[in-house]
């Protein structure tokens, strides 16, 4: 349980690094280049993971993967890119508090998709933990208002709020799809294909929408160092998140990421001279208590082993397993540690 919580906090610290470098780039150097920053991350994923797939042999080779399921990864790459873009864009229209609260919408999206598509079943303690985490997030947003923390322009809140909800929905879809792929296929395949299609789509979007902003950037060694720091944190987040999701779940990871804003705020107390409130500490420990409650017991998956690998074998029928009796749905516990049993191999004609 403690390992699960600790792994999630590592991801939160990486997001804190991403937020700090982005803040310096946009406010101190007026470099508003969210698509270019995503493009750098996708290029790193491409160089490390896509090239790894390219040199593999057999069914795990890049060309073999593209032949079987290229269009699925193309959609996933576009979803991942636009999720990042919509949330960053929302800062121009709505307030910080609105973004913090509405970004929590990713949690019910992940729960809904996990329930219906991954067949994950939750217990009462999981929902209690989720509610406690969201209460902690609300406490943090309230503290921001009380201490008068800068809220942003908020010139068109409706547009900004809709952008946040759209980004949160796409994040939820991406996270659940990621969990499905790394459980049925591999982490390297997921990251390699995200790097390939993410770099392709972000390159097109960069050329169309952001090339003028990129030309305005006052390049020097400080800006270069900030871009390097951002890319390193983003690459670490993408590389490490599948490991944490496989050990826990997409829902657990998104609950853990609620503390990222608090880490950024604690750093801001020293770097940007933010005002402190005891409610921030209350919020932090409330979220941690919710995480402990959620991680204290396992979720489980009720599944029919004959139909769970459709992503792996999109073409061809699924052959019934030889059995003398009716096949009962398998129940596999997943949240804490390794699965208790291996999933039966399914051969396809």
């Amino acid at each position: 349980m403690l390992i699960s919580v600790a792994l999630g906090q590592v991801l939160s610290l990486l997001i804190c690094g991403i937020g700090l470098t982005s803040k310096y780039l946009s406010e101190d150097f007026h470099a508003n280049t969210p698509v270019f920053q995503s493009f750098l991350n996708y290029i790193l994923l491409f160089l490390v993971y896509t090239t790894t797939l390219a040199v593999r042999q057999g069914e795990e080779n890049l060309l073999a993967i593209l032949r079987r399921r290229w269009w699925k990864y193309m959609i996933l790459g576009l979803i991942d890119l636009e999720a990042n873009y919509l949330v960053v864009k929302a800062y121009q229209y709505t307030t910080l508090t609105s973004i913090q609260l509405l970004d929590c919408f990713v949690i019910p999206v992940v729960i809904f998709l996990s329930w219906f598509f991954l067949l994950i079943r939750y217990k009462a303690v999981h929902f209690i933990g989720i509610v406690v985490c969201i209460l902690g997030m609300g406490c943090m947003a309230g503290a921001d208002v009380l201490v008068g923390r800068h809220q942003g322009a908020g010139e068109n809140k409706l547009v900004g709020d809709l952008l946040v909800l759209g980004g949160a929905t796409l994040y939820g879809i991406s996270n659940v799809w990621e969990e499905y792929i790394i459980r049925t296929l591999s982490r390297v395949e997921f990251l390699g294909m995200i790097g390939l299609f993410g770099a392709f789509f972000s390159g097109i979007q960069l050329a169309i929408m952001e090339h003028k902003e990129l030309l305005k950037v006052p390049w020097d060694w400080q800006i270069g160092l900030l871009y390097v720091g951002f890319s390193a944190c983003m690459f670490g987040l993408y590389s490490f998140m599948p490991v944490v999701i496989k050990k826990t779940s997409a829902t657990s990871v998104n609950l853990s990421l609620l503390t990222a804003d608090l880490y950024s705020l604690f750093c801001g107390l020293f770097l940007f001279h933010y005002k402190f409130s005891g409610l921030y500490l209350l919020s932090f420990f409330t979220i941690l208590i919710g995480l402990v409650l959620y991680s204290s017991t396992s979720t489980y998956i009720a599944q029919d082993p004959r139909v769970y690998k459709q992503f792996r074998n999109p073409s061809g029928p699924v052959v019934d397993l030889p059995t003398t009796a009716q096949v009962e749905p398998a129940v596999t516990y997943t949240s804490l540690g390794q699965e208790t049993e291996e999933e039966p191999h399914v051969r396809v004609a």
Side-chain angles (χ1 to χ4, degrees), residues 35 201-213:
V35 179
F201 286 119
S202 61
I204 293 174
Q205 191 166 339
L206 174 63
I208 296 173
M209 301 177 61
E210 212 172 80
H211 64 282
K212 293 182 180 179
E213 286 293 331

Side-chain angles (χ1 to χ4, degrees), residues 1-15 49 120 175 178-180 182-183 187 190-191 235-257 291 294-295 299 334-338:
M1 179 184 67
L2 293 178
I3 290 176
S4 299
V5 173
L7 290 174
Q9 297 315 295
V10 172
L11 296 178
S12 283
L13 288 171
L14 288 171
I15 290 182
Y49 296 105
I120 292 177
N175 288 165
E178 177 179 354
E179 180 176 358
Y180 184 81
I182 62 177
R183 291 194 186 281
R187 165 180 169 269
F190 168 77
L191 293 172
F235 179 77
L237 177 68
Y238 269 71
S239 298
F240 191 51
M241 184 177 283
V243 177
V244 183
I245 287 180
K246 190 169 185 178
K247 197 166 186 65
T248 58
S249 68
T251 305
S252 177
V253 165
N254 279 282
L255 290 173
S256 298
L257 297 184
L291 287 172
Y294 183 90
S295 302
T299 57
T334 60
S335 286
L336 302 177
Q338 299 295 320

Side-chain angles (χ1 to χ4, degrees), residues 66-82:
L66 287 173
R67 279 196 299 268
R68 292 196 301 273
R69 41 186 176 264
W70 63 271
W71 63 273
K72 297 181 180 181
Y73 283 118
M74 182 180 70
I75 295 172
L76 181 58
L78 189 59
I79 288 173
D80 188 77
L81 170 65
E82 297 309 322

Side-chain angles (χ1 to χ4, degrees), residues 93-106:
Y93 297 99
T94 190
T95 62
L96 177 63
T97 300
S98 292
I99 292 174
Q100 290 171 339
L101 292 176
L102 292 176
D103 202 34
C104 294
F105 184 67
V106 68

Side-chain angles (χ1 to χ4, degrees), residues 243-289:
V243 177
V244 183
I245 287 180
K246 190 169 185 178
K247 197 166 186 65
T248 58
S249 68
T251 305
S252 177
V253 165
N254 279 282
L255 290 173
S256 298
L257 297 184
L258 294 179
T259 58
D261 286 332
L262 284 163
Y263 289 131
S264 298
L265 186 142
F266 293 148
C267 292
L269 293 174
F270 302 98
L271 298 175
F272 309 117
H273 307 292
Y274 290 158
K275 293 181 180 179
F276 178 76
S277 170
L279 288 176
Y280 289 131
L281 287 178
L282 176 62
S283 172
F284 181 74
F285 287 112
T286 301
I287 294 174
L288 287 184
I289 290 171

